[in-house]
């Protein structure tokens, strides 16, 4: 038999359930209303913040600490005689880092010094010869004057005896003898003139030899300066303040010019290299503020500024730039390296190491109106 009483009781409970629903409670409705208002206000605040601020914040986690490191390499070849620094050691500008064996280069310096002495001695010898030659010129000039006087006297004698010989007062043989003497005197004048000219030209030759010796001495001095530079280059010094890294040189090792021996990492020349998507660069300008978060320093926000933009995308400077003029082209959003200067205290800079990962956010609100002006200018054309 059906239990009609139990069925009626269940039906009564089902009718009372809607009457006791929480939605009919004023408190619940008030809480829901307040919640809806809070959500709407939060959404409005987010929207306004996004429109006025959020969409102008361009960030990326493809960013790293970098530095203008200096590679230490020798200018000359030689065996490493001493290494004055250790791995990770801090050094000051001008501090000695390593030294090559200088004996060979010092010997070259001494050899060139002797060449300079030889050239200078040769010049002095030639100058002495010039003085001797000038005395010889004076002697040749005196001989020429004597020969000219003798020739003039011989000519006078011929002129005086010719009339006498014509009148028979003097024999013709005497006139012939005087004419021969006059001719010989003229020949001696020509010889004296030639000797004087040769002596004068000898001076010009000696002057040229002096100039040649001076040139040789000057060339040797230039070689000496280069040799002294080589001697100085046997000691490698720090070009900047920094820390020694990648120390790859050992005592006794033979190094060639340009061999990488170590790297100096400056502590005061750190910067951030952030690789932004090309779609993020429209409003990015030099000098805009940047917030920097270093993975190694959680909870610490550093300040920075946009310093510069690379003149090309990372793909353009790769070893094998992409060739997109092919049939299998696929468009890929490119990345552009952006350099960001770091504005941090020295004690914070010491904690930053090149290669560390960072996240950067650039505030581009200072240029938010430029894109609209560019659009209007493009439409106006």
């Amino acid at each position: 038999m059906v239990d009609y009483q139990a069925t009626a009781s269940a039906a009564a409970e089902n009718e009372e359930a809607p009457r006791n629903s929480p939605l009919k409670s004023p408190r619940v409705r008030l809480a829901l209303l307040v919640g809806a208002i809070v959500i709407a206000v939060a959404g409005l605040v987010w929207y306004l913040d996004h429109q006025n601020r959020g969409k102008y914040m361009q960030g990326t986690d493809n960013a790293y600490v970098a530095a203008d490191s200096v590679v230490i390499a020798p200018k000359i070849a030689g065996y490493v005689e001493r290494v004055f620094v250790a791995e990770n050691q801090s050094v000051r500008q001008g501090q000695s880092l390593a030294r090559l064996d200088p004996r060979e280069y010092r010997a070259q310096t001494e050899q060139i010094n002797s060449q300079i002495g030889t050239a200078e001695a040769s010049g002095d010898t030639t100058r002495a010869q010039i003085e001797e030659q000038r005395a010889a010129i004076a002697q040749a000039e005196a001989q020429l004057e004597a020969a000219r006087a003798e020739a003039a006297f011989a000519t006078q004698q011929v002129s005086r005896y010719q009339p006498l010989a014509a009148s028979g007062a003097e024999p013709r043989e005497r006139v012939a003898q005087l004419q021969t003497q006059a001719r010989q005197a003229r020949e001696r004048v020509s010889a004296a003139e030639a000797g004087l000219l040769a002596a004068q030209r000898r001076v010009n030759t000696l002057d040229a030899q002096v100039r040649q010796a001076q040139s040789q001495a000057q060339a040797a001095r230039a070689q000496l300066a280069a040799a002294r530079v080589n001697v100085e280059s046997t000691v490698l010094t720090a070009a900047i303040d920094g820390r020694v890294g990648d120390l790859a040189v050992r005592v006794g090792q033979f190094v060639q010019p340009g061999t990488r021996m170590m790297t100096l990492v400056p502590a005061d020349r750190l910067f951030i290299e952030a690789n932004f998507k090309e779609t993020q660069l429209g409003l990015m300008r030099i000098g805009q503020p940047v917030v920097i978060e270093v993975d190694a320093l959680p909870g610490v926000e550093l300040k920075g500024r946009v310093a510069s933009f690379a003149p090309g995308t990372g793909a353009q400077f790769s070893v094998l730039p992409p060739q997109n003029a092919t049939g299998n082209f696929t468009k890929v959003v490119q990345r552009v390296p952006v350099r960001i200067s770091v504005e941090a205290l020295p004690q914070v800079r010491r904690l930053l190491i090149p290669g560390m990962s960072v996240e950067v956010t650039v505030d581009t609100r200072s240029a938010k109106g430029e894109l609209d002006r560019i659009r209007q200018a493009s439409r106006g054309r």
Side-chain angles (χ1 to χ4, degrees):
M1 175 181 281
V2 179
D3 190 352
Y4 293 101
Q5 186 176 359
T7 303
S9 176
E13 291 178 358
N14 292 334
E15 291 178 0
E16 292 178 358
R19 296 177 184 177
N20 297 330
S21 174
L23 296 176
K24 292 186 177 182
S25 172
R27 294 181 178 179
V28 174
R29 292 181 178 180
L30 179 60
L32 293 176
L33 179 61
V34 171
I37 293 174
V38 170
I39 293 174
V41 171
L44 180 61
V45 170
W46 177 88
Y47 177 77
L48 293 176
D49 179 72
H50 176 73
Q51 291 296 320
N52 296 320
R53 177 184 174 279
K55 68 179 182 180
Y56 298 107
M57 299 297 159
Q58 301 295 341
T60 182
D61 58 357
N62 188 352
Y64 307 91
V65 178
D68 292 326
S69 302
V70 177
V71 176
I72 303 300
K75 296 171 58 177
I76 57 176
Y79 287 94
V80 178
E81 186 176 74
R82 287 194 63 183
V83 178
F84 300 104
V85 294
E87 186 77 38
N88 306 328
Q89 178 181 336
S90 297
V91 296
R92 304 292 296 177
Q93 183 178 4
Q95 181 175 340
S96 297
L97 303 176
R99 184 175 67 200
L100 305 182
D101 187 354
R103 290 176 295 178
E104 179 181 354
Y105 299 102
R106 287 175 180 169
Q108 291 178 359
T109 302
E110 296 300 326
Q111 180 181 3
I112 296 172
N113 268 324
S114 65
Q115 292 176 358
I116 294 175
T118 301
E120 291 177 346
S122 176
D124 293 338
T125 302
T126 306
R127 291 187 187 95
Q129 291 176 355
I130 290 175
E131 295 300 324
E132 294 177 357
Q133 192 64 28
R134 284 174 179 169
I137 290 174
Q139 182 180 3
E141 289 175 347
Q143 291 175 353
L144 176 61
E145 290 299 325
R148 285 174 177 173
E150 183 182 353
F153 177 76
T155 301
Q156 291 176 358
Q157 288 292 93
V158 171
S159 299
R160 188 173 67 176
Y161 278 91
Q162 278 182 344
L164 296 175
S167 63
E170 289 288 338
R172 294 185 178 276
E173 290 80 2
R174 176 62 177 168
V175 174
Q177 182 181 5
L178 291 175
Q179 289 176 342
T180 302
Q181 291 177 353
R183 185 171 60 255
Q184 292 175 348
R186 288 194 296 272
E187 291 176 354
R188 284 193 292 271
V189 169
S190 299
E193 289 177 346
L196 176 61
L197 181 61
Q200 290 173 341
R201 290 181 176 177
R202 175 63 177 168
V203 171
N204 295 332
T205 302
L206 293 175
D207 285 336
Q209 292 179 359
V210 170
R211 290 192 296 271
Q212 181 180 4
Q214 291 175 342
S215 299
Q216 291 174 348
Q218 189 64 29
R221 291 189 187 97
Q223 293 176 354
L224 178 62
R228 286 174 176 171
V229 170
N230 288 339
V231 173
E232 295 175 357
S233 298
T234 57
V235 178
L236 285 79
T237 59
I240 59 172
D241 297 342
R243 294 174 60 191
V244 176
D246 191 23
L247 183 62
V249 64
R250 299 294 182 269
V251 174
Q253 179 181 349
F254 183 81
V255 293
Q256 293 285 356
T259 302
R260 186 188 188 112
M261 300 176 66
M262 64 190 77
T263 302
L264 288 186
V265 181
D268 57 346
R269 300 183 186 178
L270 298 175
F271 59 91
I272 305 296
E273 184 167 303
N275 301 302
F276 284 93
K277 296 178 182 179
E278 56 185 319
T279 54
Q280 297 178 289
L281 300 179
L283 298 179
M284 205 171 292
R285 302 291 183 269
I286 294 176
Q288 291 176 336
V290 182
V291 176
I292 304 169
E293 297 179 3
V294 185
D295 291 359
L297 303 174
V300 178
E301 287 190 354
L302 305 180
K303 302 298 182 182
R305 294 278 176 181
V306 176
S308 61
F309 300 88
T313 64
Q316 290 298 313
F317 296 117
S318 63
V319 178
L320 297 175
Q323 177 54 263
N324 293 327
T326 58
N328 58 350
F329 165 72
T330 301
K331 183 176 181 179
V332 178
V333 177
Q334 299 297 311
R335 297 267 181 173
V336 178
V338 178
R339 176 173 290 202
I340 298 172
S341 61
V342 180
E343 300 172 357
L345 298 174
Q347 55 266 32
V348 178
R349 286 179 175 271
R350 286 195 294 268
L351 301 176
L352 301 179
I353 299 176
M356 281 185 170
S357 299
V358 299
E359 296 183 11
V360 296
T361 303
V362 180
D363 187 351
T364 65
R365 284 179 292 179
S366 61
K368 62 182 179 180
E370 293 188 16
L371 196 57
D372 294 335
R373 288 193 291 271
I374 293 174
R375 292 194 188 101
Q376 292 176 0
S378 300
R379 293 170 183 172
R381 290 182 181 179

